[in-house]
Amino acid sequence: MRRAVLAAIAVAVLATGCGATQDDTDSSADKASSPAKKAPENPDGAETAKTPDGTLLVADFGSDTVSFVDPAPGKGAFDSVEVGHAPYGLVVGDDGRAWVATAEGVAVVDTDSREREALIPYETEGLGPVTDGEYRGGGMGIALAPDGEHAYVGVNIPDGNGALETIDTRTEKVTDTASVGRRPFDVDVSRDGRQVYATDHDSFDVTVLDTRGGDTRRIEVAPYGTEGGLGSWLKPHYAAVRPSDGKLLLPFEGEKLVVVDPDTGRSTVERMTANTHQHGVTITPDGTLLAVGTGPIDPSEDEGPSLTIRTPGGKEKVVPLDGPHEDVAVSDDGRTAYVTGGFTRDGYWNGITVVDIDSGDTRRLAAGERPLGIAVL
């Protein structure tokens, strides 16, 4: 079924992404925006209150900000910070600094004071003009080393292979650049910090960077093959590092979970059950995998948007979602998932779906402008 859909799409249009068009316009049937409200002040009115634990930080891909969101019922975005154009991924360190991949550079945000400290320009050339949409040049996936001393950002170079830039978090400067595949949607780091993994969407692979010597190698991840090339939908999007053994988990189409050994390059495939096009993933310390389903490739055969909650033993709960979504984060207690409604393509909405992991109950929360990357503070 998937090969037939793939062939039809590839013949219709050649595109560099998850669909058959490179239309980067920010259009949506549900674009009602939720304006950010200013944060409450301290009693003396001198400065804003420290950001509470449990606040959500989201990258506003449809704007130039990150939003701070109170996830409690009836709440929502209460503040925002300008970071740079079209922010995509973000990650937060133990020191409270957020590292945000934008079209202009990597923004450094103090999440306590809610202020931008720096905007680190990319060293990579050929990014083109600063623009919008999933094909724009600039940062996409981003991750921190376990010791917090380096940030790694995947940089998209339009119409070519991307780059992985290494940032020294103390000096806030780029110290190294390595070549990776096309459109590095996601970046992850091994538990010991010795390897960095760029998930290269349009080249059907993961690039492994050795952080000690700087060498890179490519691992193809294409359980449906590479038929259709740039026009294919059946590509890797996001990965998670399994805590138990360091293997990479990459979901495809709610049908196949590819388990990659990054040391040997060998992979196995396990069955998934959601039957929907999948993007963002995260994994909890106990090994529970959460995968976001954005919706069907073929509405006559595939299921709609969903969140798959998969136990370490492979048992799955599939929670239906209303409308497209992109990425997911989990609360510190492991009881609640937060799924962003931004989506890299059209049909997005300006909010977050809050999912009770045990019951599967959901509620919608207005937040941000086309929110993509997300973290729990």
Side-chain angles (χ1 to χ4, degrees):
M1 180 272 289
R2 300 283 183 188
R3 287 184 177 275
V5 173
L6 171 63
I9 294 173
V11 169
V13 179
L14 286 177
T16 312
C18 279
T21 178
Q22 290 195 26
D23 182 5
D24 285 340
T25 58
D26 288 346
S27 62
S28 171
D30 183 11
K31 287 188 62 177
S33 173
S34 158
K37 296 178 287 185
K38 288 299 178 183
E41 293 186 345
N42 283 335
D44 61 7
E47 59 184 22
T48 56
K50 179 180 177 179
T51 305
D53 290 344
T55 296
L56 307 179
L57 182 68
V58 297
D60 295 324
F61 192 53
S63 182
D64 58 0
T65 58
V66 291
S67 290
F68 292 79
V69 181
D70 184 339
K75 301 294 185 177
F78 61 84
D79 203 359
S80 63
V81 174
E82 291 188 7
V83 290
H85 199 70
Y88 192 102
L90 59 81
V91 63
V92 180
D94 292 338
D95 61 1
R97 286 187 297 172
W99 302 79
V100 187
T102 82
E104 301 175 63
V106 173
V108 186
V109 176
D110 184 324
T111 62
D112 285 336
S113 64
R114 299 194 292 280
E115 296 177 337
R116 191 183 82 177
E117 293 183 349
L119 181 64
I120 304 167
Y122 301 116
E123 295 291 330
T124 302
E125 297 180 352
L127 302 186
V130 174
T131 186
D132 302 299
E134 70 164 302
Y135 304 98
R136 63 143 178 78
M140 300 188 75
I142 190 166
L144 279 170
D147 61 10
E149 293 185 0
H150 294 92
Y152 304 96
V153 58
V155 181
N156 178 46
I157 302 174
D159 301 319
N161 286 339
L164 183 67
E165 296 198 1
T166 300
I167 297 171
D168 184 316
T169 58
R170 292 167 294 185
T171 63
E172 298 181 349
K173 296 183 181 298
V174 175
T175 59
D176 197 12
T177 301
S179 179
V180 298
R182 299 177 69 107
R183 282 213 295 160
F185 259 55
D186 195 19
V187 176
D188 296 276
V189 184
S190 64
R191 297 167 298 169
D192 59 11
R194 294 184 176 183
Q195 293 181 337
V196 180
Y197 314 114
T199 301
D200 307 319
H201 179 272
D202 286 352
S203 48
F204 298 88
D205 61 43
V206 171
T207 300
V208 181
L209 168 70
D210 183 331
T211 60
R212 294 163 296 182
D215 295 334
T216 61
R217 53 193 168 83
R218 173 182 178 269
I219 301 173
E220 183 175 284
V221 186
Y224 294 94
T226 60
E227 181 182 356
L230 297 180
S232 171
W233 286 71
L234 310 180
K235 305 170 184 173
H237 292 83
Y238 297 77
V241 179
R242 189 158 62 187
S244 61
D245 59 8
K247 291 183 178 180
L248 302 179
L249 307 180
L250 297 98
F252 284 77
E253 308 309 316
E255 294 180 339
K256 300 179 180 184
L257 180 68
V258 180
V259 182
V260 179
D261 184 330
D263 294 325
T264 66
R266 299 190 183 98
S267 63
T268 59
V269 177
E270 300 176 6
R271 178 177 177 267
M272 296 189 78
T273 62
N275 189 29
T276 189
H277 189 57
Q278 288 176 317
H279 275 210
V281 300
T282 194
I283 197 162
T284 64
D286 71 354
T288 298
L289 179 72
L290 293 90
V292 179
T294 68
I297 291 178
D298 183 350
S300 69
E301 297 189 37
D302 305 335
E303 299 296 330
S306 64
L307 177 67
T308 292
I309 303 167
R310 182 184 177 94
T311 70
K315 183 178 180 180
E316 293 189 347
K317 176 193 297 182
V318 179
V319 179
L321 300 176
D322 182 10
H325 292 70
E326 182 68 24
D327 208 354
V328 58
V330 179
S331 60
D332 287 344
D333 61 12
R335 299 175 61 182
T336 308
Y338 306 104
V339 193
T340 56
F343 195 34
T344 52
R345 294 191 55 76
D346 55 1
Y348 60 88
W349 61 285
N350 295 326
I352 295 166
T353 295
V354 181
V355 180
D356 184 300
I357 289 177
D358 289 334
S359 68
D361 293 339
T362 65
R363 59 182 172 86
R364 284 161 71 96
L365 178 70
E369 292 280 346
R370 196 174 181 178
L372 287 191
I374 183 170
V376 180
L377 302 181

